[in-house]
Amino acid sequence: MKPRHFIFLAAVLSASALAGCGKKEPPVSEAEVKAVFEKSLPSTVDDKVWERVPAHPAKLLLQDMVEPRLLQASTPFVRVQSVTDGRKVAFLLTWKDATLDDVPGPALFGDACAVQLPATTAADVPAPQMGEDGKTVEITYWSAIFQASVNGRKDDIHALYPRAAVDHYPFEAPSLKAGSPPQQEMAKRYAPARGAENPMAGPRTVPVQDLLADGPGTIRFAEKTVSSGSGKYSGGGWTVLLVRPLPNGAQPGGRTQVAFAVWEGSRQEVGARKMRTAWIPLSLGSAQ
Amino acid sequence: MARVYNWQLGREMSYWYPERRPKRQFAAVFDTNKCIACQTCTLACKTTWTSGKGQEYMLWNNVETKPYGFYPLGWDLNLLEKLGAQDWDGGQYAGRTIFEAAQPGERVLGWRPEDIDYASPNVGEDDCAGGVEKGAHFTGVHNSWFFYLARMCNHCTYPACLSSCPRSAIYKRPEDGIVLIDQGSCRGYQECVKACPYKKTFFNAMTGTSEKCIACFPKIESGMQPQCFVNCIGKIRFAGWISRPESARADNPIDFLVHVKKVALPLFPQFGLEPNVYYIPPMNVPREFLAQMFGPGVDQALEAYRNAPRDKDLAGLLTLFGSTEAIVAKWKRVEEQVIGYDESGKEIIRVPLREPTHIRQAFDAARGVARTNVS
Ligand code: SF4
Ligand code: SF4
């Protein structure tokens, strides 16, 4: 087979894999992400509504502007669908990924994705790369590692290395009643990031984090994560649902901008090393 | 990148941030000739700081047998190979640092150890550089050699961990130069793990953040030396404060050893971090190996060390190692006594230059028995 034919076939195969076996292909919205108005938002990635919500094929670009950069392209595009109920907006992100990466460890990184919106809807949009000074962006970040712990994987070395042998954890000494407040308090002291209330450290109830940024390198945790989501790996790719509040000034029937990012864990993509989109117009449907 | 001055290289170099030295810089001297690889330091650190979940594999302090010991595997060789052969021009470094050799898109030249690289912390333990021939015995020259290299974070003047962190979650304390990862804002990108040439930051898979040696800062803040220092069986370690060479003071113990006597040298100065743990190099190891590891000052350092029996000041200061838990900020020798003072000038320790020696006869005439060690 000539290489060009091979590429064509690969493209057809990937498109059908993304669509999911036996699922109805949704209509395409080339120019923008259309958030369709629905009275209630879908709560799963398998909701029937996704069969009729227009899909925008968002082209992913290398983050090659600031160090550390990504210099080798990986995930080429992400398919985006969106629904709004006038208060919140849901995004369904679907992309192809040959490897499921949800285990943390040295040199191990999880698959992940994120959606970014200007914190305030205005004609003058922030820079697409994480916003800029005085023009904040709001980000909702989903990680396969978070998803695995929400799905029930224990925060324990044996969940990652089943044959690990540990002699003793001081905070699990027999003299301490398991689960008692003093025991919990002590366990926290032995998990520095948890002690510092870092949302990276769990315990976790949702697989997403709400973040804010005013430019590259300025990302910070929102006061509270109010978004929710869920991700599912099947058919050689991820489908991730992100549900978050509409940002300030984004009205039903109005327009704003949205951007996305995807990290391929097996390629050690993390932080700034990512595939991302430019701003994409987002039209918000209304009840009328 | 900014231009900064690195006195260990004898020249300016490129660094991600401008030069901003702390008010004073935590530093240490390790005498490799006295280390017995008992790992008491490793355990002192482990039990104090890293017995939590996700910290199981972490050794903020470790001791490895050179040339075949590494933790993590090949930490130094991997980077030396990436950096390629580089030269010194006398006391000035003519090669490229890991900041100057950074590949496109990177802030630092580095590599990422995998979990398997941490799986054998005792690899190479007590392995000689060469085979030992049948019938070989010690005749005064070691043909086969090894030595113990005790390692901790160097609380570098130009930390690669700090410069690599895209979210500036790593900071160097202006009051004492201790380098810390802010556990509240780290997002676990592991850029620091990739960048630190000494591999002294570690990813905690349970908390999703990276962690590192904190130089026992609560102890430092109260005038005491860190745990791995005060528990050292071989008394090889000495913690204190280092000045820049031009403001070195002979009554500051670290300055005296590093700047005045030049008996203690930085580990892989060519990487460009201006590391602040200084090593008295081992005497039994080929010079080429030592020069690669400790830079061009090796001959001078060994000469000074060999001369210690005739150099009452140097010998005197070496006797202060492991003599007190407190940080000795100043010292002086008064004839056959060596005195250590704290920050305020208060005497905290006084040791004799030579311990009195008592020779017991092998035969106990009173009891009519030969003495053993316990009789
Ligand atoms: S030794 Fe490594 S971890 Fe320690 S300060 Fe230097 S670069 Fe950072
Ligand atoms: S405690 Fe001292 S002698 Fe023992 S291994 Fe550590 S540095 Fe060496």
Side-chain angles (χ1 to χ4, degrees):
Chain A
M1 202 187 297
K2 282 189 190 147
R4 198 191 296 175
H5 292 158
F6 179 73
I7 291 167
F8 174 72
L9 182 63
V12 171
L13 285 176
S14 65
S16 56
L18 279 176
C21 287
K23 273 196 194 158
K24 230 178 91 197
E25 193 76 38
V28 173
S29 165
E30 281 290 350
E32 61 179 17
V33 175
K34 275 191 202 313
V36 172
F37 185 88
E38 291 283 332
K39 267 211 212 79
S40 60
L41 294 178
S43 59
T44 69
V45 300
D46 299 316
D47 198 297
K48 277 272 174 215
V49 75
W50 299 119
E51 291 185 6
R52 57 184 165 80
V53 171
H56 173 78
K59 190 169 152 45
L60 290 163
L61 314 164
L62 288 161
Q63 189 300 103
D64 57 359
M65 315 269 285
V66 294
E67 278 91 359
R69 305 183 216 186
L70 187 68
L71 297 180
Q72 279 216 321
S74 57
T75 316
F77 74 95
V78 55
R79 191 182 77 179
V80 182
Q81 294 169 276
S82 182
V83 172
T84 179
D85 64 0
R87 288 180 310 114
K88 289 181 175 181
V89 57
F91 295 98
L92 190 76
L93 273 56
T94 311
W95 74 96
K96 242 176 101 62
D97 181 344
T99 54
L100 189 169
D101 306 295
D102 65 357
V103 173
L108 291 177
F109 299 93
D111 298 325
C113 67
V115 54
Q116 172 187 286
L117 294 141
T120 305
T121 303
D124 193 10
V125 285
Q129 293 239 31
M130 319 286 293
E132 57 191 294
D133 203 12
K135 287 193 212 163
T136 308
V137 291
E138 293 180 1
I139 293 165
T140 300
Y141 170 83
W142 169 92
S143 145
I145 294 173
F146 299 171
Q147 186 70 55
S149 35
V150 170
N151 291 355
R153 183 172 67 201
K154 279 176 81 180
D155 258 358
D156 192 290
I157 191 83
H158 298 103
L160 307 182
Y161 300 94
R163 295 185 190 190
V166 177
D167 298 334
H168 169 69
Y169 294 115
F171 45 90
E172 288 182 357
S175 55
L176 289 157
K177 193 165 162 265
S180 64
Q183 191 270 330
Q184 300 260 298
E185 196 43 50
M186 189 168 168
K188 203 169 164 184
R189 283 206 300 276
Y190 281 82
R194 195 171 287 181
E197 313 283 342
N198 185 331
M200 290 304 288
R204 215 171 291 290
T205 50
V206 286
V208 298
Q209 278 177 350
D210 284 337
L211 306 161
L212 300 166
D214 305 288
T218 64
I219 205 162
R220 59 190 189 274
F221 300 105
E223 219 157 279
K224 211 171 152 238
T225 285
V226 291
S227 300
S228 60
S230 63
K232 195 171 145 185
Y233 185 84
S234 68
W238 280 106
T239 310
V240 175
L241 172 67
L242 298 165
V243 183
R244 50 154 298 126
L246 278 173
N248 215 354
Q251 304 284 357
R255 303 179 67 79
T256 182
Q257 305 281 331
V258 65
F260 303 92
V262 170
W263 289 264
E264 161 59 302
S266 69
R267 291 218 191 190
Q268 307 216 332
E269 290 175 10
V270 65
R273 301 174 196 270
K274 67 189 172 202
M275 296 296 291
R276 48 100 198 177
T277 70
W279 283 126
I280 302 167
L282 170 67
S283 69
L284 299 163
S286 64
Q288 291 79 41
Chain B
M1 287 239 205
R3 296 295 290 172
V4 298
Y5 188 74
N6 181 326
W7 67 261
Q8 295 176 353
L9 304 183
R11 68 165 171 89
E12 281 197 338
M13 62 164 206
S14 301
Y15 185 64
W16 196 258
Y17 297 107
E19 184 166 347
R20 201 180 308 124
R21 287 178 187 263
K23 230 186 285 146
R24 58 180 183 173
Q25 174 63 56
F26 167 79
V29 170
F30 290 4
D31 183 351
T32 58
N33 296 287
K34 295 200 292 185
C35 179
I36 55 171
C38 61
Q39 306 283 5
T40 311
C41 48
T42 308
L43 265 289
C45 175
K46 187 87 197 137
T47 50
T48 307
W49 298 116
T50 58
S51 17
K53 292 192 173 179
Q55 298 178 321
E56 295 85 353
Y57 79 104
M58 286 185 203
L59 299 174
W60 291 356
N61 180 97
N62 79 295
V63 183
E64 56 202 40
T65 305
K66 284 297 176 201
Y68 296 127
F70 315 91
Y71 174 77
L73 208 62
W75 65 269
D76 45 358
L77 298 189
N78 282 343
L79 188 61
L80 288 168
E81 201 174 343
K82 267 183 161 281
L83 195 57
Q86 308 285 329
D87 276 326
W88 287 87
D89 183 5
Q92 198 179 72
Y93 183 52
R96 291 188 306 163
T97 67
I98 61 168
F99 306 110
E100 293 159 347
Q103 286 154 335
E106 304 287 326
R107 295 183 178 192
V108 177
L109 179 73
W111 67 283
R112 273 202 177 101
E114 296 175 11
D115 48 4
I116 195 77
D117 296 323
Y118 294 101
S120 315
N122 277 341
V123 70
E125 190 179 37
D126 288 2
D127 276 354
C128 285
V132 180
E133 295 295 312
K134 196 169 167 212
H137 57 282
F138 181 58
T139 55
V141 177
H142 292 273
N143 294 322
S144 297
W145 56 271
F146 66 73
F147 72 99
Y148 301 127
L149 185 70
R151 303 203 301 117
M152 58 179 279
C153 165
N154 293 287
H155 297 279
C156 307
T157 305
Y158 302 114
C161 58
L162 183 152
S163 70
S164 71
C165 178
R167 34 189 295 94
S168 313
I170 305 185
Y171 61 105
K172 187 166 174 67
R173 305 209 306 181
E175 64 270 34
D176 53 20
I178 291 173
V179 177
L180 298 176
I181 301 177
D182 179 353
Q183 289 301 312
S185 68
C186 173
R187 284 183 59 78
Y189 298 160
Q190 302 186 43
E191 294 294 343
C192 57
V193 182
K194 185 177 184 188
C196 170
Y198 307 98
K199 297 296 167 237
K200 282 298 175 191
T201 65
F202 300 87
F203 179 68
N204 181 325
M206 296 307 145
T207 62
T209 59
S210 297
E211 298 174 8
K212 67 179 287 298
C213 160
I214 58 170
C216 295
F217 69 80
K219 291 192 76 183
I220 299 267
E221 284 167 7
S222 46
M224 287 191 289
Q225 302 189 62
Q227 292 291 73
C228 56
F229 289 71
V230 299
N231 285 284
C232 176
I233 302 295
K235 302 191 173 192
I236 83 154
R237 298 176 175 227
F238 198 81
W241 311 103
I242 190 164
S243 317
R244 288 183 59 155
E246 62 274 18
S247 39
R249 285 186 357 243
D251 66 351
N252 169 341
I254 304 280
D255 280 357
F256 184 79
L257 295 167
V258 174
H259 294 312
V260 179
K261 288 290 164 183
K262 300 188 192 312
V263 70
L265 304 168
L267 180 61
F268 291 116
Q270 66 268 42
F271 294 160
L273 288 72
E274 215 187 279
N276 287 303
V277 175
Y278 294 83
Y279 291 85
I280 300 179
M283 292 198 292
N284 61 319
V285 173
R287 294 297 164 93
E288 300 72 30
F289 190 92
L290 292 181
Q292 173 172 266
M293 188 168 264
F294 300 113
V298 165
D299 286 334
Q300 198 181 350
L302 286 177
E303 200 183 313
Y305 192 65
R306 285 217 165 87
N307 191 44
R310 288 166 295 282
D311 181 340
K312 283 192 171 180
D313 286 331
L314 179 55
L317 181 49
L318 293 175
T319 61
L320 280 185
F321 279 47
S323 64
T324 169
E325 184 166 20
I327 293 178
V328 177
K330 279 190 192 145
W331 76 290
K332 83 171 171 216
R333 180 179 64 84
V334 182
E335 298 187 344
E336 297 300 302
Q337 296 225 311
V338 190
I339 312 164
Y341 305 91
D342 70 7
E343 212 68 53
S344 67
K346 196 176 113 225
E347 178 177 329
I348 45 176
I349 185 77
R350 184 180 284 252
V351 293
L353 194 52
R354 276 180 211 287
E355 294 285 345
T357 311
H358 303 281
I359 298 176
R360 294 190 308 164
Q361 295 307 318
F363 189 76
D364 183 342
R367 292 178 182 79
V369 290
R371 284 196 167 106
T372 66
N373 281 344
V374 291
S375 64

